Amino acid sequence: IYHGLTASMNKRFSRRYQVIGSYTFSKTISDTNDLTFDQGPQDPTNARADRSLSSFDVRHRLSLAAIVESPYFYLSPIMTARSGFPFDIRTGYDVNLDTVNNDRPFAVGRNTGIGPGFFAVDLRVGRRIRFKADNPLSLELIFDAFNLFNRNNFKDVNNVAGALFLNQLGITDVRVRGDSKIPGSQFSGFTSAYEPRIFQLAAKFSF
């Protein structure tokens, strides 16, 4: 089940300047992630009991891009920001002895954890060289920078609580959030991250 509201903007200020923006506010609900056992409902005879936020639910997403052109080169930055994905809290062992290790602590709903948000700025700078005005032959030199400011965007969260009651871990809020101050080996610590800053050079020949 998906509910969403999207607002977008596309404004050209002149022949050489343009701004494109998009914002989405949405909510995605599902009963299960997959039909495989470990991604299926905790109780396969009552999948409706697992109805909750989907694992790919993104409440907020904002994208801004611009295009700046000159007689010598063009510049195109892209900024992307979004809220975190939900994650399922697991005990780490087979509590109900059904041979499937997808059990949650007592009275904890599916996908009650909230993962880290994401923010990145990408940039492209290029120059197109035409050999003759009336000839389609051209050479385009491209420089790309991904995650330009080298922000540490965390990805996966340690979701193994290892306890039947979260209050045994001092957790009383129904929404558990990932925390960069906690080691990755402990519950709610981050275990992986998206790519760091990457530079890329390319040349494209058109004919």
Side-chain angles (χ1 to χ4, degrees), residues 62-64 77-82 117-123 145-151 153 194-195:
L62 175 66
S63 297
L64 295 174
I78 301 176
M79 185 275 289
T80 303
R82 63 160 174 81
F118 179 91
F119 177 85
V121 175
D122 302 330
L123 178 68
F146 303 97
N147 192 9
L148 178 64
F149 300 113
N150 203 29
R151 185 178 188 272
N153 286 301
Y194 290 96
E195 291 80 4

Side-chain angles (χ1 to χ4, degrees), residues 141 143 154 167:
L141 304 177
F143 168 79
F154 293 105
N167 57 17

Side-chain angles (χ1 to χ4, degrees), residues 81-96:
R82 63 160 174 81
S83 53
F85 293 110
F87 65 90
D88 206 21
I89 298 174
R90 304 284 180 87
T91 61
Y93 52 91
D94 185 11
V95 177
N96 59 7

Side-chain angles (χ1 to χ4, degrees), residues 61-80:
R61 182 180 178 88
L62 175 66
S63 297
L64 295 174
I67 301 174
V68 180
E69 295 181 294
S70 77
Y72 307 102
F73 67 92
Y74 64 86
L75 179 72
S76 180
I78 301 176
M79 185 275 289
T80 303

